[in-house]
Amino acid sequence: MAHQWRGVIREYADRLPVTEATKVITLGEGGTPLVHAQKLSELTGSEVYLKVEGMNPTGSFKDRGMTMAMTAAVEAGAKAVVCASTGNTSASAAAYATAAGLKCAVLVPEGKISMGKLSQAIAHGATLLQVDGNFDNCLDIARKLGESYPVFLVNSVNPARIQGQKTGAFEVVDSLGDAPDIHVLPVGNAGNISAYWKGYKEYAAPFESANGTLPAVSTKTPIMWGFQAAGAAPFVAGHPITEPDTIATAIRIGNPASWDTAVAARDESGGLIEAVTDDEILDAHRWLSSKEGVFVEPGSAAGVAGLIKKHAAGEAPSGKTIVITVTGHGLKDPQWALRTEDGSDVQPVKVPNDVVTVAAELGLEEN
Ligand code: AN7
């Protein structure tokens, strides 16, 4: 029977803080593909899957949390929402605020967000301010605005965001039939690793819902592997980084808001949070597009870069099931695809309007 996916709140309502009466703000987020990564599986000897979060309505995983945060904003009677962002949160907040009929203000680090994300926030009518500072400075201001001014904060310090984002873990288990052995993902502000861990734990134990106890869905929880960009790797340093720097602007974050929950996810799962260089990120970005057929933005490739690195070091197991969340779409920040490995720009070949020349250029001989 045909079934139209209803968005993560309605699909997982009994595991989220909502009721039948809740006015749900949704754009149909979630239900994203879990793609078997053939070449990564061949490389590692494990079954590797990609959770392709670029397929969400605004092109990133942020929509899972934003449907919850915007629903909570409407429930609280808010008239305006605010967020700090490296780009994807602002794109998502702007779209969901539009759906909710709320005003939206977004604070982004000047010059450090991709064109695609900037365009989305503007297109959806948000008031976008470029702050002379980094993401961490933006988040400080957004938090203060939320505390002392009549605006509702929709960053992941709002627990509603984590609630929505945990549905990513539910979908992985629902697709595979059980939790994977290892779950890999990029780490920036650390909300997503916290949310996945929460989701996996909730699915592995009986759950007290408003309609009674739900049985456990999975038999286990995965080991969580997080990867940060080397120039913005506070979890690796063990302390906040005041001047984070990486070409992966999405994860250019030095003082993660969800510090404690991310450390708990790492340690309770027996996992790790390590760093990958910008070159490793770009290599993984190229691997995904050229070998797997999946186009992501650079920050989203950090998890894949991490798995490739661990494999090269002999530290990745074989014979396991590994899921990597690729968090945002390649069209967000497409310029990186046009750079070759040696750093020069790709120049598409120009040809005259003539089939013989085109065939020759393609190396084709006439039948
Ligand atoms: C593509 O949009 O923080 O560790 O303000 O856009 O949960 O922060 C984005 C983060 C990974 C890191 N991949 O996730 C923002 C923002 C992509 C991202 C992350 C982000 P978290």
Side-chain angles (χ1 to χ4, degrees):
M1 201 169 73
H3 171 68
Q4 172 78 41
W5 180 266
R6 297 165 295 172
V8 298
I9 293 182
R10 283 299 169 225
E11 293 296 330
Y12 293 107
D14 51 3
R15 291 172 177 274
L16 291 168
V18 293
T19 68
E20 281 295 311
T22 304
K23 179 174 187 282
V24 173
I25 307 300
T26 180
L27 293 171
E29 62 294 316
T32 56
L34 188 69
V35 175
H36 185 247
Q38 297 190 46
K39 300 295 177 189
L40 283 171
S41 298
E42 278 169 27
L43 176 77
T44 58
S46 278
E47 291 307 319
V48 181
Y49 295 87
L50 303 169
K51 182 67 171 157
V52 184
E53 288 291 275
M55 294 304 287
N56 277 296
T58 77
S60 88
F61 73 99
K62 301 288 182 184
D63 295 342
R64 294 180 184 277
M66 207 52 75
T67 181
M68 277 298 303
M70 215 56 73
T71 295
V74 167
E75 202 159 43
K79 296 280 179 284
V81 298
V82 66
C83 68
S85 183
T86 58
N88 278 323
T89 299
S90 61
S92 186
Y96 282 78
T98 299
L102 301 181
K103 286 193 169 149
C104 179
V106 303
L107 307 178
V108 301
E110 187 187 355
K112 294 292 181 186
I113 86 166
S114 78
M115 179 67 84
K117 299 169 191 177
L118 190 72
S119 310
Q120 288 178 286
I122 301 294
H124 295 303
T127 303
L128 182 138
L129 301 178
Q130 300 202 61
V131 176
D132 177 15
N134 60 32
F135 168 82
D136 306 295
N137 307 131
C138 293
L139 184 56
D140 276 348
I141 298 174
R143 290 173 103 139
K144 286 173 188 152
L145 288 176
E147 278 161 22
S148 308
Y149 296 83
V151 283
F152 189 94
L153 183 67
V154 294
N155 277 109
S156 58
V157 290
N158 182 330
R161 282 276 310 278
I162 304 296
Q163 288 283 350
Q165 283 175 213
K166 76 183 180 184
T167 60
F170 296 167
E171 288 179 21
V172 169
V173 174
D174 289 342
S175 298
L176 295 177
D178 204 346
D181 298 303
I182 303 178
H183 191 108
V184 190
L185 74 182
V187 174
N189 211 24
N192 215 25
I193 191 171
S194 304
Y196 267 91
W197 182 237
K198 180 177 171 62
Y200 279 125
K201 281 197 298 185
E202 288 182 5
Y203 244 24
F207 184 79
E208 303 302 330
S209 84
N211 302 319
T213 307
L214 303 171
V217 181
S218 57
T219 67
K220 60 183 179 187
T221 53
I223 294 167
M224 303 298 293
W225 281 9
F227 290 94
Q228 303 206 277
F235 288 107
V236 179
H239 55 76
I241 304 289
T242 43
E243 303 272 333
D245 199 23
T246 166
I247 58 98
T249 53
I251 52 174
R252 188 173 171 273
I253 296 172
N255 189 13
S258 297
W259 185 284
D260 293 345
T261 46
V263 167
R266 180 192 68 191
D267 296 346
E268 289 170 23
S269 75
L272 54 85
I273 300 178
E274 293 184 1
V276 286
T277 65
D278 283 359
D279 281 345
E280 288 166 340
I281 287 173
L282 289 175
D283 284 348
H285 178 259
R286 211 172 285 118
W287 177 296
L288 285 172
S289 39
S290 66
K291 294 191 201 290
E292 311 289 358
V294 174
F295 193 32
V296 305
E297 60 172 293
S300 298
V304 174
L307 178 62
I308 292 173
K309 184 177 194 166
K310 295 300 275 182
H311 171 74
E315 293 168 3
S318 57
K320 302 290 187 187
T321 300
I322 302 177
V323 172
I324 312 175
T325 302
V326 286
T327 42
H329 204 288
L331 295 174
K332 294 269 191 178
D333 202 359
Q335 82 195 70
W336 296 102
L338 300 177
R339 287 225 324 206
T340 56
E341 253 158 300
D342 65 23
S344 62
D345 281 348
V346 174
Q347 292 293 348
V349 175
K350 283 190 189 173
V351 288
N353 177 10
D354 165 49
V355 68
V356 175
T357 325
V358 171
E361 189 60 49
L362 294 172
L364 299 174
E365 282 175 33
E366 203 169 349
N367 300 329

